[in-house]
Amino acid sequence: MPIQDNLHGALLISVIDFVLSFVIIGGIGLILAMFPLLNRFGKQNEEKHLGKPLAVADGSGSAAAGLPAVSPATEAGAVPGIHPGLNDQQLVVLLSAAASEMLGGPVRVEKFRPLTAKDLNWAAQGRSVLQSHRLK
């Protein structure tokens, strides 16, 4: 049965579009509501596969999985670092592994230091210049 080209047909199409809009938006809402569940499952799998801590120096001189050895004194949190849960050496290992994974090749960290207030001021000034709307 074709929809007629008159007021009744226009109202019918409007009602159909209205209902379909809610169905589609509701479906998108359900998909978005599933993301926290997916995150929970992802965290469980991550803990299962990656839950092993970095290698700890045991005096034998060997580190597991090719990771640099971390002394027990620094692992216990004796040396404060940039990240609240990791010392600086562990943070460098994680950042270099992430960079290596993203770039698809080996990465060498040549220099690592926390930013100072002076560095942050220069960075803010640079963003200000880059994000300005002045015509050039």
Side-chain angles (χ1 to χ4, degrees):
M1 170 177 125
I3 297 175
Q4 298 174 358
D5 192 16
N6 57 17
L7 181 62
H8 179 69
L11 289 174
L12 183 62
I13 289 176
S14 296
V15 168
I16 291 171
D17 287 343
F18 185 73
V19 170
L20 281 177
S21 297
F22 277 103
V23 168
I24 291 172
I25 292 171
I28 292 171
L30 285 174
I31 290 171
L32 292 176
M34 297 295 283
F35 279 126
L37 295 173
L38 293 173
N39 284 338
R40 272 193 227 133
F41 289 127
K43 285 180 185 176
Q44 290 173 355
N45 289 340
E46 190 174 295
E47 288 172 358
K48 193 182 300 181
H49 296 293
L50 301 176
K52 299 174 186 137
L54 291 175
V56 178
D58 56 357
S60 64
S62 65
L67 295 174
V70 178
S71 66
T74 57
E75 187 178 7
V79 179
I82 297 171
H83 190 274
L86 302 171
N87 62 30
D88 288 346
Q89 186 178 12
Q90 291 172 331
L91 185 60
V92 169
V93 169
L94 288 176
L95 292 176
S96 60
S100 174
E101 204 48 47
M102 286 301 297
L103 297 175
V107 175
R108 191 171 112 194
V109 177
E110 292 186 9
K111 185 176 184 180
F112 177 80
R113 66 178 176 87
L115 294 177
T116 64
K118 185 178 179 182
D119 295 330
L120 295 175
N121 289 338
W122 278 105
Q125 183 65 31
R127 280 193 301 276
S128 171
V129 169
L130 290 174
Q131 295 173 357
S132 69
H133 298 289
R134 292 180 283 158
L135 295 175
K136 297 181 181 185

